């Protein structure tokens, strides 16, 4: 980022050209929620969810994502409608339904059962029924499970006939039902005939649905075409949900996703990210249960837009794989927000018609980068690039020149009034990327892999530089040598982007692949490269190194004379080397005027404020922050405020007992236990008016948590201790579950009563047998009973391998002194409470448990 260099193209934001109220429709998901807690409530709420498409309750298509089990957490997190794919009550894809009338009869009975379930669920008002999915490739195509081997695209009468029958059945049982259709794989011209038939036969859907999977530029064209049909046929405009969008190449990549999002927001329709990989991670947005990658942070920035969207004119309007963006203007909040990306190199972001009545003669501009961190690689909050004041030119414009845009990144700009407050000099750390395909190599077995995903092959996964290398595997002698050059002596973060497939024969034995790093041939260090569900699904392994100014060689090797040999197999995409700034390391600042304000007001006439202003929070009003932590543990959370008043603090959905912010000017700091990844921090005024300036986090020096090894507990029944997990901390308790007789009970000591955080170190490699391209990992659950109280269910997402351990933070209430924590588990029945899934899609067992730690929520 620079404020002086000339740019080669311009993205123009016209603040005088409203394009309608901000819609937020791109934040939809297909199969993105597995069940309560997967993803976590904080990660789900911070995604700002709009619509969810998911399987029929008890459907055997995939594990988890049962409509009536996910509707509750989805709505509680702020989500809107839940679309039930009624066809997912069948196995396979194409759906395995009998041909002819027998298949129709069977589906009719299953539809009736689904409607009855919805009516008894308590979530009926949030449900939209989707009776058919891609009918042209399923029952009304020409394949094995076709009704009569006639494609409805050639002769539609058979599809229309059953659509009408199912529509009328649903309406007879649920007269207020909302039905969506026809749900084709793209907007075929034949959909116009569907509209004509439904208008004539009183079966028009309440929501029009189709899919767009190839390229974002088609979205605008398809919506315009469909709206033209409505006008031509005299049909009132229906809501549109493009309930599957984007391909593998696009997902997880902020610079690609912004192009889809801009087309969807411009069209003012809803849309759901497509389900190509695993469910329960918001379509490659979340990592584990509670962490976000770059895509999550992009949707977080998108969801915090308010007011109206305004016209954005990119350098290449409507052209895919170029610089694109979304902009909003909230006159009441006196803020304009822009998210943009999708191109390398230089560009101007130019604001025109900047209203001096709203902003004054200067604006405060804040700029952040949202980088790509891999499909399963977690990301901190967006990187600050610039915080400055800029004069509004005589023609009402403000220009921000960029010179080093990255096409895989997205960027956020917020402009506010600049007359008051203060700016912060942003020191952007030196950082370089070194592609693995450019590294020198020795040894046998090295391979160059690619090209990977690209605009010409969107079915493959995105990869930095489009290539990666292999050779770090069991029995190999390959050494990769990266020649780097750093500008100054100091500490550097080194991030290795890698992929290891959990099903690969040499990986199955150990799980994470161990490789060996040296710097200039010295300081050997073993790195464990994590496993995932497929090759070319990127994660990153991070370490810190001390480097002198100048040139160095970093090697990654399959063996080391001091440390041993690699077991497994990994491919390497790149390494990133980033200087650590001691002044900002482990510290973050969250300006209150940029927070999600619920009735609270941004105020800009406070001269001493950090940033452009403060948030004025009246009684019952609130400000919500999305706070990142790189680990489970304490951070000092500081609240800078003025103006008196009192406010309570809620962390991840529960009030922090004994913590009130306000009463006098100044700063209140408290060590709070933050969960690794995303933390929802909500400040709610209870008395008077609080002027909250900002929230800051910094390292906290606190005692280590109480650690209890699972093998020290009391086991009953078949539960046992295993020493077969080489990456565990001692023994691991396994086989907890299949009923309460097989249990683990741990004793943990608390120094005081009240709110604590239990962090469970676990592994879960269970999968069900998939029927097509999606891997089908199964989330296990444990029923946790504290001190004999009724158990609560906790879901544990996959760790992809039994020897790959992850942490899950669980809030608990403990007594002072010794407490008992009992783990049990049993298979959950179907919705009827009597029958059970026959395909291994609901687990009987808790995860493998390594150890737990216990910490008070507040260390005060």
């Amino acid at each position: 980022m620079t404020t002086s260099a000339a740019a080669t193209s311009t993205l123009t934001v016209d603040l005088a050209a409203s394009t309608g109220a901000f819609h937020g429709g791109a934040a939809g998901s297909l199969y993105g929620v597995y069940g309560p807690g997967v993803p976590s409530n904080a990660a789900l709420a911070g995604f700002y969810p709009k619509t969810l498409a998911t399987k029929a309750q008890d459907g055997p298509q995939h594990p988890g994502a049962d409509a009536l089990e996910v509707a509750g957490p989805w709505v509680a997190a702020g989500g809107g409608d839940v679309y039930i794919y009624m066809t997912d009550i069948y196995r396979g894809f194409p759906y395995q339904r009998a041909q002819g009338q027998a298949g129709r009869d069977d589906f009719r009975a299953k539809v009736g059962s689904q409607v009855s379930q919805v009516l008894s669920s308590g979530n009926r008002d949030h449900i939209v029924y989707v009776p058919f999915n891609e009918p042209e490739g399923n029952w009304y195509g020409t394949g094995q499970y076709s009704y009569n081997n006639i494609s409805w695209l050639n002769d539609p009468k058979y599809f229309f006939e059953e659509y009408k029958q199912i529509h009328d059945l649903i309406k007879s049982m649920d007269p207020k039902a909302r039905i969506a259709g026809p749900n084709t794989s793209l907007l075929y011209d034949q959909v116009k005939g569907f509209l004509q038939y439904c208008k004539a036969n009183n079966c028009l859907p309440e929501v029009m649905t189709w899919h767009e999977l190839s390229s974002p530029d088609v979205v605008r064209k398809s919506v315009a075409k469909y709206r033209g049909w409505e006008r031509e046929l005299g049909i009132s405009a229906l809501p549109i949900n493009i309930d599957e969008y984007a391909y593998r190449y696009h997902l997880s990549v902020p610079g690609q996703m912004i192009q889809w999002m801009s087309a969807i927001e411009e069209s003012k329709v809803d849309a759901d990210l497509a389900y190509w990989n695993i469910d329960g991670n918001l379509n490659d947005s979340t990592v584990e249960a509670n962490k976000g990658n770059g895509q999550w942070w992009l949707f977080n920035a998108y969801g915090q837009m308010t007011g109206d969207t305004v016209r954005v004119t990119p350098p290449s309007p409507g052209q895919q794989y170029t610089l694109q963006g979304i902009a909003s203007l909230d006159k009441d909040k006196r803020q304009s927000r822009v998210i943009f990306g999708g191109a390398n190199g230089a560009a101007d972001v130019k604001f025109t018609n900047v209203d001096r009545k709203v902003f004054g003669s200067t604006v405060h501009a804040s700029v952040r980068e949202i980088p790509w961190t891999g499909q399963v690689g977690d990301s901190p909050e967006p990187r600050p690039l610039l915080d400055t004041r800029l004069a509004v030119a005589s023609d009402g414009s403000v220009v921000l020149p960029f010179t080093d845009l990255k096409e895989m990144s997205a960027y956020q700009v917020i402009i506010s009034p600049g007359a008051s407050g203060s700016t912060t000099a942003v020191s952007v750390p030196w950082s370089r990327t070194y592609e693995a395909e450019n590294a020198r190599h020795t040894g046998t077995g090295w391979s160059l892999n690619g090209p990977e995903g690209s605009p010409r092959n969107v079915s493959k996964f995105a990869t930095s530089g489009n290539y990666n290398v292999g050779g770090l595997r069991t029995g190999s002698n390959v050494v990769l040598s990266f020649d780097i050059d750093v500008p100054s002596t100091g500490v550097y973060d080194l991030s290795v982007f890698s992929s290891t497939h959990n099903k690969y024969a040499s990986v199955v034995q150990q799980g994470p692949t161990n490789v060996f790093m040296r710097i200039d041939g010295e300081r050997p260090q073993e790195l464990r490269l994590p496993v995932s569900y497929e090759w070319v699904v990127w994660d990153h392994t991070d370490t810190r190194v001390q480097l002198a100014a100048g040139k160095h060689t970093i090697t990654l090797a399959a063996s080391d004379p001091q440390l041993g040999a690699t077991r497994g197999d990994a491919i390497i995409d790149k390494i990133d080397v980033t200087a650590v700034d001691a002044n900002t390391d482990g510290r973050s600042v969250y300006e209150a005027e940029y927070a999600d304000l619920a009735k609270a007001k941004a105020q800009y006439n406070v001269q001493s404020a950090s940033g452009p202003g403060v948030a004025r929070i009246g009684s019952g009003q609130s400000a919500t922050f999305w706070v990142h932590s790189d680990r489970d543990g304490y951070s000092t959370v500081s609240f800078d405020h003025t103006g008196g008043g009192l406010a309570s603090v809620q962390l991840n959905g529960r009030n922090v007992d004994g913590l009130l912010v306000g009463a006098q000017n100044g700063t209140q700091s408290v060590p709070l236990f933050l969960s690794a990844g995303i933390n929802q921090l909500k400040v709610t005024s209870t008395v008077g008016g609080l002027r909250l300036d900002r929230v800051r986090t910094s390292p906290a020096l606190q005692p280590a948590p109480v650690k209890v090894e699972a093998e020290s507990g009391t086991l009953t029944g078949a539960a046992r201790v295993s020493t077969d997990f080489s990456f565990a901390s001692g023994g691991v308790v396994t086989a907890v579950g299949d009923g309460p007789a097989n249990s683990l009970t741990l004793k943990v000591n608390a120094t005081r009563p009240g709110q604590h955080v239990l962090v469970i170190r676990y592994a879960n490699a269970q999968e069900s047998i998939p029927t097509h391209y999606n891997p089908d990992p199964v989330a296990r659950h444990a029923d946790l009973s504290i001190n004999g109280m009724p158990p609560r269910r906790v879901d544990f997402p996959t760790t992809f391998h039994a020897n790959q351990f992850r942490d899950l933070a669980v809030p608990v209430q403990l007594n002072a002194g010794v407490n008992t924590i009992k783990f049990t588990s049993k298979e959950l029945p179907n919705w009827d409470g009597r029958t059970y899934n026959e395909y291994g899609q609901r687990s009987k067992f808790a995860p493998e448990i390594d150890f737990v730690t216990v910490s008070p929520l507040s260390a005060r």
Side-chain angles (χ1 to χ4, degrees), residues 21-236:
F22 173 72
H23 187 65
S29 173
L30 173 68
Y31 273 85
V33 179
Y34 189 102
V38 183
S40 71
N41 294 338
L44 182 54
F47 185 78
Y48 288 88
K50 191 70 185 293
T51 57
L52 177 69
T54 197
K55 77 173 186 183
Q57 179 66 36
D58 305 330
Q61 184 71 198
H62 302 283
D66 295 80
L68 303 183
E69 294 174 30
V70 301
W74 179 263
V75 173
D81 290 332
V82 175
Y83 287 68
I84 299 181
Y85 270 34
M86 304 184 86
T87 45
D88 284 23
I89 200 67
Y90 290 96
R91 287 283 280 174
F93 194 80
Y95 301 112
Q96 297 170 2
R97 186 179 88 165
Q99 289 191 310
Q101 189 60 38
R104 282 186 170 185
D105 291 344
D106 184 67
F107 185 50
R108 185 177 180 85
K110 287 179 165 59
V111 167
S113 296
Q114 291 181 55
V115 177
S116 295
Q117 290 172 340
V118 169
L119 293 173
S120 68
S121 71
N123 284 303
R124 177 188 155 280
D125 291 345
H126 298 284
I127 298 300
V128 179
Y129 301 96
V130 187
F132 296 91
N133 178 39
E134 299 187 357
E136 74 284 357
N138 282 281
W139 303 331
Y140 291 95
T142 57
Q144 178 182 359
Y145 301 103
S146 170
Y147 170 69
N148 59 1
N149 300 110
I150 296 174
S151 171
W152 83 270
L153 299 177
N154 298 323
D155 183 353
K157 63 183 177 182
Y158 304 104
F159 171 56
F160 290 174
E161 177 182 70
E162 187 176 8
Y163 182 88
K164 168 70 172 169
Q165 292 170 357
I166 296 299
H167 174 278
D168 292 352
L169 170 63
I170 294 171
K171 290 288 189 179
S172 70
M173 298 180 68
D174 184 359
K176 295 182 179 180
R178 288 177 293 153
I179 298 173
N183 222 50
T184 47
S185 61
L186 52 90
L187 188 68
Y188 293 101
D189 288 340
Q190 289 89 336
V191 172
K192 181 179 179 182
F194 171 82
L195 292 171
Q196 291 173 308
Y197 173 86
C198 287
K199 181 181 179 183
N201 290 276
N202 195 31
C203 60
L204 279 171
E206 279 71 29
V207 184
M208 178 58 58
T209 55
W210 71 85
H211 305 161
E212 299 286 3
L213 301 173
S214 58
S215 59
D217 66 319
V218 178
V219 171
R220 296 176 179 89
K221 298 173 184 176
S222 293
V223 172
K225 177 190 287 188
Y226 170 74
R227 292 299 187 205
W229 292 341
E230 285 181 329
R231 291 189 294 270
E232 182 181 342
L233 298 175
I235 295 171
S236 298

Side-chain angles (χ1 to χ4, degrees), residues 338-353:
V338 183
I339 48 176
F340 70 98
N344 284 317
D348 282 348
V349 174
K350 182 177 183 179
F351 293 85
T352 62
N353 294 306

Side-chain angles (χ1 to χ4, degrees), residues 557-839:
S559 64
D560 188 275
Q562 293 178 235
L563 300 180
T566 289
R567 295 184 63 194
D569 199 335
I571 56 176
I572 307 297
D573 183 19
K574 64 171 182 170
I575 65 171
D576 287 341
V577 182
T578 303
V580 174
D581 184 345
N583 295 317
T584 59
D585 185 33
R587 301 172 186 272
S588 296
V589 176
Y590 305 90
E591 294 289 347
E593 63 273 26
Y594 297 157
D596 185 341
L597 303 181
K599 298 184 178 179
K601 301 293 184 182
Q603 180 178 343
Y604 299 100
N605 59 353
V606 181
Q607 292 297 328
S608 60
S610 164
V614 301
R616 191 175 71 250
I617 309 173
S619 181
Q621 301 171 354
S622 65
T624 298
F625 303 83
W626 304 99
V627 175
H628 177 264
S629 178
D630 61 2
R631 72 200 190 291
D632 292 299
Y634 289 109
S635 291
T636 297
V637 182
S638 299
F639 302 86
D640 298 333
H641 56 84
T642 63
L646 290 174
S648 62
V649 175
Q650 195 178 71
L651 178 60
N652 295 327
R654 62 174 177 165
N655 286 324
V656 181
D657 291 345
L659 177 58
L660 288 175
V661 175
Q664 57 186 358
N665 294 350
T667 296
Q668 286 171 260
S669 298
V670 58
L672 294 179
F673 193 99
L674 301 183
S675 299
I678 309 302
N679 293 269
Q680 184 182 26
L681 187 73
K682 185 176 182 180
V683 179
T684 303
S685 179
T686 56
V687 177
L690 177 74
R691 290 197 303 183
L692 183 62
D693 188 3
R694 60 184 177 178
V695 172
R696 293 176 291 121
T697 60
S698 58
L701 298 176
Q702 296 297 325
V706 175
K707 180 180 179 183
V708 181
E709 294 283 355
E711 64 268 29
S712 71
T714 301
L715 308 181
T716 63
R720 63 184 181 87
V721 175
S722 172
T723 56
D724 295 336
F725 299 83
S726 60
F727 291 156
S729 170
V732 171
V733 172
T734 187
V736 171
D738 199 14
N742 309 307
S743 69
L744 164 66
T745 301
L746 299 175
K747 292 183 178 181
V748 300
N749 191 64
T751 57
R752 64 176 189 262
Q755 298 173 310
H756 286 71
V757 181
L758 177 72
V759 178
I760 304 167
R761 185 75 164 171
Y762 77 96
N764 168 26
Q766 184 171 342
E767 293 193 17
S768 65
I769 298 174
T771 58
H772 52 295
Y773 50 78
N774 298 96
D776 275 346
V778 174
R780 290 186 167 188
H781 74 273
D783 297 317
L784 261 61
S785 174
I786 310 295
N787 295 325
M789 298 295 289
R792 69 180 273 210
R793 175 184 167 188
V794 177
D795 281 2
F796 295 81
T798 181
T799 64
F800 302 116
H801 194 280
N803 201 28
Q804 180 158 271
F805 290 85
R806 296 290 182 252
D807 297 318
L808 186 72
V810 180
V812 293
Q813 292 284 129
L814 297 180
N815 301 325
V818 177
N819 295 261
T820 61
I821 300 176
K822 186 175 183 179
F823 294 81
T824 60
S825 187
K826 61 181 179 180
E827 183 177 358
L828 298 176
N830 291 324
W831 189 255
D832 60 14
R834 298 178 291 101
T835 59
Y836 289 83
N837 182 280
E838 60 182 301
Y839 299 102

Side-chain angles (χ1 to χ4, degrees), residues 496-508:
V496 179
F497 278 65
S498 68
S499 175
T500 294
H501 185 198
N502 61 348
K503 297 294 194 309
Y504 205 64
S506 61
V507 174
V508 170

Side-chain angles (χ1 to χ4, degrees), residues 263-604:
I264 291 162
E265 183 64 36
E266 182 181 317
S267 302
K268 300 302 181 189
V269 300
D270 292 334
D272 301 333
L273 293 160
Y275 167 45
W276 294 112
N277 302 313
I278 63 172
D279 64 349
N281 72 347
L282 292 173
N283 312 87
D284 300 326
S285 300
T286 59
V287 178
E288 300 169 36
N290 191 56
K291 299 174 182 177
N293 62 11
Q295 179 170 285
W296 186 92
W297 286 103
L298 175 63
F299 276 97
N300 181 257
Y302 172 63
Q304 292 187 72
M305 288 181 156
T306 53
D308 284 3
T309 50
V310 294
R311 182 183 302 127
V312 174
T313 304
S316 303
Q319 183 176 332
Q320 61 190 353
Y321 307 117
T322 63
L323 195 68
Q324 301 289 331
I326 306 168
S328 65
L329 172 63
D330 188 328
K331 291 184 178 179
D332 291 336
K333 200 174 183 180
R334 301 174 71 189
Q335 284 182 12
S336 175
R337 296 185 178 222
V338 183
I339 48 176
F340 70 98
N344 284 317
D348 282 348
V349 174
K350 182 177 183 179
F351 293 85
T352 62
N353 294 306
V354 178
D355 189 346
R356 285 178 170 81
K357 294 179 182 179
V358 175
F359 293 97
S361 60
T362 62
V363 298
H364 187 119
S366 173
V367 181
R368 289 177 175 261
E369 179 187 3
I370 306 171
W372 177 68
T373 56
Q375 291 85 354
V376 290
D378 66 300
S379 173
E381 69 266 18
R383 301 167 178 165
L385 296 182
L386 182 70
D387 188 70
T388 191
R389 284 192 185 97
L390 297 170
V392 179
S394 59
D395 64 355
S397 67
V398 172
V399 179
L400 284 166
F402 292 77
T403 58
D404 53 359
L405 297 174
K406 304 176 182 67
E407 68 175 347
M408 297 185 85
S409 293
Y411 299 83
Q412 180 190 47
V413 178
I414 303 176
I415 66 168
S416 308
S420 302
S422 62
T423 60
T424 302
V426 176
S427 175
V428 180
W430 177 92
S431 184
R432 291 290 184 274
T433 292
Y434 298 91
E435 297 288 350
E437 61 268 29
N438 297 330
R440 294 178 288 111
H441 64 274
T442 60
T444 57
W446 178 90
S447 62
L448 176 66
N449 308 315
E452 305 295 355
S454 70
R456 294 167 298 282
N457 192 345
V458 294
S459 66
K460 300 180 77 173
F461 293 106
T463 298
S464 175
N466 213 24
Y467 290 86
N468 59 83
V469 302
L472 300 179
R473 62 174 66 96
T474 302
S476 167
N477 62 349
V478 166
V479 178
L480 303 179
S481 298
F482 296 84
D483 295 322
I484 71 170
D485 192 348
V486 300
S488 59
T489 298
V491 178
Y492 289 81
D493 283 325
L494 190 148
S495 188
V496 179
F497 278 65
S498 68
S499 175
T500 294
H501 185 198
N502 61 348
K503 297 294 194 309
Y504 205 64
S506 61
V507 174
V508 170
Q509 300 172 21
Q510 176 176 271
T513 297
N514 59 314
V515 301
F516 305 95
M517 183 185 79
R518 284 182 177 247
I519 300 170
D520 301 325
E522 305 294 335
R523 292 180 277 168
Q525 179 180 348
E526 183 179 75
L527 302 179
R528 295 175 184 171
L529 307 183
V531 299
S532 188
Y533 55 82
E534 185 56 89
W535 289 118
V536 202
V537 172
W538 301 107
D539 200 342
H540 53 85
T541 301
D542 306 321
T543 188
R544 283 197 162 175
V545 295
Q546 179 77 35
L547 297 174
K551 296 181 179 181
H552 300 274
T553 298
I554 295 176
T555 55
L556 298 177
S559 64
D560 188 275
Q562 293 178 235
L563 300 180
T566 289
R567 295 184 63 194
D569 199 335
I571 56 176
I572 307 297
D573 183 19
K574 64 171 182 170
I575 65 171
D576 287 341
V577 182
T578 303
V580 174
D581 184 345
N583 295 317
T584 59
D585 185 33
R587 301 172 186 272
S588 296
V589 176
Y590 305 90
E591 294 289 347
E593 63 273 26
Y594 297 157
D596 185 341
L597 303 181
K599 298 184 178 179
K601 301 293 184 182
Q603 180 178 343
Y604 299 100

